[in-house]
Amino acid sequence: MSRLSIMAYSFGILFFLVSCSFASFYGYKVVTHDLPKEEKTVEKYNYHFVLVSQELDNEYWRLVEKGARAAAKQYGVLLEYAGPKQANIEDHVKTIEMSAASKVDGIMTQGLSDEQFTPLINRVVAKGIPVITVDTDAANSKRLAYIGTDNYYSGYLAGNALIADTKGKANVAIITGSFYANHMQQRVKGFQDAVKGEKGIHIVTIQESEISRVKAAEKANQILQDHPEVNAFFGTSALDGIEIAHVVEKYKKQDQIYIIAFDTLPETLDYIRKGTIKATVVQEPYEMGYKAVKMMIDLREGKTVPPIVHTDTRILRKGDLPVNYHVRLEVNR
Ligand code: BGC
């Protein structure tokens, strides 16, 4: 590069930085697409929201993002999607703090634990940035609304499904995403309450996957070694059931072991089609994302929104599954 072109280049960068700081100083929401210079477009947005997920590339969260993006596009919102690469509370909290520091118009995230999330959410709301909890509620915080599954009820449904499918006789192992996250505790509690009157159902052990596939598989393996009497599994987060099924197939025990999972990711549906997973709890992540953005806009416009919006949850078994189930889902969206 010649000296002249380096100077021109540096001047270009300087000009860009100066215009960005002007834009943010005056609260003017501007986004420039990364196009060649002459084609650069400047778009104006009504609002700038951030959706902070538990794990960036988790397929479940990509569906929440997809719903949120659809609403953002429809209503002229600049939506950022951010979060830890692998589920991690510290990174999650940091991402929320950074979003608040950059003075966005609204933050949508989980209320994972009262200890870490309630004071944080309260601080953000006190700064004038509305927070909506999605998927997991921090009900004791000052979040303005929650949209997501009734997590206790979904666990209760899972317990009832297991009772029905095993005719009230099973030694159950639970693999849960986290011992500390509100939604996971509620799902387990709902399940325990549903089965507690059943003399033939015993919860033998509860293990934690930390939302990690590898850990879920390790725990399923260990449970089969340590508790040969286990003949049923309940996986309480999206990847747990998939990994339990994987391990159970490895031991060729799919005919002896009952599995109930969570969510309807493509791999879970494949295992249901094969009969390895017998049932799963349906959640509506796309709708959570879509409605969270819509509710955030309503809040910004001074409208009242209901403090709790529960999305649909129900049990799905092989018989409920049309051959092209997820193709149909895509078409509907
Ligand atoms: C939960 C999410 C979680 C995901 C992990 C889902 O069932 O609702 O909160 O992040 O599982 O795979």
Side-chain angles (χ1 to χ4, degrees), residues 54-55 58 60-61 110 135-136 151 183-184 187 211 236-239 262-263 283:
Q54 181 160 25
E55 188 170 75
N58 186 299
Y60 171 90
W61 281 101
Q110 292 163 293
D135 170 89
T136 314
N151 284 301
H183 61 332
M184 295 293 133
R187 290 176 194 179
I211 312 284
T236 76
S237 68
L239 306 175
F262 236 90
D263 297 299
Q283 297 199 88

Side-chain angles (χ1 to χ4, degrees), residues 46-52 68 71 75 77-79 104-109 124-125 128-134 143-145 147 288-306:
N46 301 324
Y47 301 110
H48 177 187
F49 299 156
V50 182
L51 169 64
V52 183
Y75 296 103
V77 168
L78 167 60
L79 181 86
V104 293
D105 299 315
I107 298 177
M108 299 164 286
T109 192
V124 174
V125 173
I129 300 174
V131 174
I132 291 181
T133 48
V134 181
R143 53 87 175 132
L144 284 111
I147 173 146
M288 290 178 206
Y290 186 93
K291 288 199 173 151
V293 168
K294 183 73 182 68
M295 284 159 73
M296 191 62 93
I297 296 169
D298 285 349
L299 283 172
R300 296 270 19 163
E301 292 178 353
K303 297 182 189 149
T304 40
V305 302

Side-chain angles (χ1 to χ4, degrees), residues 3-142:
R3 270 182 79 170
L4 200 66
S5 54
I6 291 175
M7 273 176 67
Y9 186 68
S10 322
F11 182 75
I13 291 180
L14 192 69
F15 179 75
F16 177 73
L17 290 175
V18 169
S19 6
C20 280
S21 45
F22 263 92
S24 60
F25 182 74
Y26 290 108
Y28 182 57
K29 287 151 201 103
V30 174
V31 167
T32 58
H33 294 301
D34 216 8
L35 296 169
K37 254 194 186 141
E38 60 280 13
E39 287 175 36
K40 268 196 176 148
T41 53
V42 176
E43 287 178 25
K44 280 184 231 162
Y45 290 91
N46 301 324
Y47 301 110
H48 177 187
F49 299 156
V50 182
L51 169 64
V52 183
S53 72
Q54 181 160 25
E55 188 170 75
L56 208 61
D57 273 329
N58 186 299
E59 277 181 276
Y60 171 90
W61 281 101
R62 288 291 180 190
L63 288 171
V64 180
E65 181 203 7
K66 201 169 170 191
R69 290 217 183 276
K73 190 165 175 221
Q74 191 173 344
Y75 296 103
V77 168
L78 167 60
L79 181 86
E80 273 184 78
Y81 174 69
K85 268 217 147 326
Q86 274 177 344
N88 174 302
I89 295 256
E90 282 75 42
D91 287 354
H92 195 147
V93 163
K94 242 186 252 159
T95 312
I96 297 175
E97 276 165 351
M98 277 163 58
S99 308
S102 65
K103 300 204 173 68
V104 293
D105 299 315
I107 298 177
M108 299 164 286
T109 192
Q110 292 163 293
L112 275 180
S113 69
D114 284 342
E115 202 191 325
Q116 278 125 321
F117 282 69
T118 298
L120 170 63
I121 291 174
N122 291 352
R123 272 202 311 277
V124 174
V125 173
K127 277 178 138 190
I129 300 174
V131 174
I132 291 181
T133 48
V134 181
D135 170 89
T136 314
D137 197 12
N140 301 320
S141 74
K142 296 206 166 74

